[in-house]
Amino acid sequence: MLMRQCLMTLRVARSQMLVQSTGKPQSHIMQRLYSSNPPAIGIVDYDVVKKLASEPQKLLIDVREPEELRETGQIPASINIPLGVVSQELAASEQLFKSKYGREKPKPDTEIIFHCKIGKRSLKAAEAAAALGYKNLKNYEGSWLDWAEREGLPK
């Protein structure tokens, strides 16, 4: 909810700035904001995620709530950044990110793979990361349910 409010506030502020600078009506400006080409969000599967433990240059982010992880566990090599704070955390300083998550903050071109329980929240997180300028974004569409089924873990 907080992320949605932040994005709406940003969109409104940008449109107001553009209206002031161009003098054009807001409807034209809003169309312009949505017509830009955001980076495509790729889809990955179990086989790609399984290899991530040996690919430290890539980042796997689990956007489920901490309580969910306590109930089910998590995919090895993933870090937990709940959906509600993913924008805030990806926008944090490099030092703060490293102190919280024990690894370097991703660069704009770092491959970041998001996952959740079924793949819907992770897609929202990838969209939020795209809005912050990250370009190499992927969504593990089957997410935890696919992982748990293949690994014989509780869902």
Side-chain angles (χ1 to χ4, degrees), residues 78-144:
S78 68
I79 62 171
N80 178 231
I81 305 177
L83 177 60
V85 296
V86 77
S87 292
Q88 173 185 325
E89 296 300 309
L90 289 174
S93 71
E94 291 189 30
Q95 184 179 14
L96 181 59
F97 190 93
K98 187 169 185 172
S99 71
K100 279 183 147 178
Y101 301 106
R103 61 170 294 154
E104 299 295 323
K105 178 181 170 185
K107 305 286 184 224
D109 62 345
T110 299
E111 184 172 335
I112 306 174
I113 300 170
F114 294 92
H115 83 91
C116 58
K117 184 175 182 179
I118 62 172
K120 292 190 186 261
R121 286 177 285 177
S122 53
L123 180 58
K124 290 179 189 244
E127 291 168 348
L132 291 171
Y134 290 92
K135 296 171 179 56
N136 194 358
L137 305 168
K138 309 273 182 351
N139 183 29
Y140 179 16
E141 206 166 55
S143 282
W144 178 258

Side-chain angles (χ1 to χ4, degrees), residues 10-11 13 15 26 34 38 44 49 55 58 62 66 68 72-73 85 97 100 102 104-106 109 111 123 128 136 150:
L10 177 63
R11 287 179 184 135
S15 65
Q26 189 169 353
Y34 288 107
V44 298
V49 174
E55 297 178 322
K58 298 177 182 180
D62 186 334
E68 293 176 87
T72 62
V85 296
F97 190 93
K100 279 183 147 178
E104 299 295 323
K105 178 181 170 185
D109 62 345
E111 184 172 335
L123 180 58
N136 194 358
R150 293 172 183 255

